[in-house]
Amino acid sequence: MIKTEKLTKKFGTYTALQDISCTIQDGCIYGMVGSNGAGKSTLLSLICADNPMAYACNITLFGKRRGQGESIWDIKKHIGYVSPEIFTAYKKSLPAIDIVCSGLRDTIGLYKQSTPQEREKCNGWLKVFGIEDLSERNYLTLSSGEQRLILLVRAFVKNPQLLILDEPFHGLDDYYRKLAKDIIDQYMKDTSKTLIMVSHYAEEFPTCINRHLHLEKQADGFELSVAH
């Protein structure tokens, strides 16, 4: 599914990642941990092509080496992604259903009218999460927790080959955290998809997790370990 070789990313003189090599197996379900500043979100943004330096890195995704002619949209159409950075960037005055529909086109905002079939599909996912009553509410009037739920639903609507959930439960109350964890468990049980989920808390990981990634920044560099 994913292979990186000696992946390095610097912001000026600051090294966010250095010499990270790893292989993510297709159909496996990974929980990812590491301290703040260890580079977890940077690594995932490079994989998702959200980072402009992605094409300068040695990354193979879905069997293709990055930079061999595919567009960013060719990559994104296979990935469902939610992260703290998306939450910070997504400040659109749109009905919640349009925010969810934007996940079908991998855009921040909806720039093309969604079809009735697409809206029906997205409303179906809102119902799965028990928040169909938010469908026509303006996204910007929702609470922080409700906005995060809407963006989590947005990650699922394409039935993506790869789900990357970076701290997806941050800001959710206990009820919705448990609900979302159960939905992830059921979704992964019913499909053969690949999941990478980041959390600082072991109890947040769904029971379906069958691999663990541990990324840490050491005094002499970075270390990424994989355990079953």
Side-chain angles (χ1 to χ4, degrees), residues 7 15-22 32-35 37-40 43 212-226:
L7 194 61
T15 302
L17 282 176
Q18 184 175 353
D19 291 339
I20 295 297
S21 298
C22 70
M32 188 174 190
V33 297
S35 57
K40 302 183 299 299
L43 174 60
H212 292 275
L213 298 166
H214 188 188
L215 179 60
E216 284 296 349
K217 187 175 185 178
Q218 311 286 350
D220 57 348
F222 290 76
E223 181 180 358
L224 178 66
S225 58
V226 183

Side-chain angles (χ1 to χ4, degrees), residues 76-80 103-104 106 121 154-160:
K76 286 178 173 291
K77 68 183 180 182
H78 300 294
I79 302 174
L104 297 170
D106 303 303
K121 179 179 182 179
R154 177 181 177 271
F156 279 85
V157 294
K158 286 183 300 186
N159 192 28

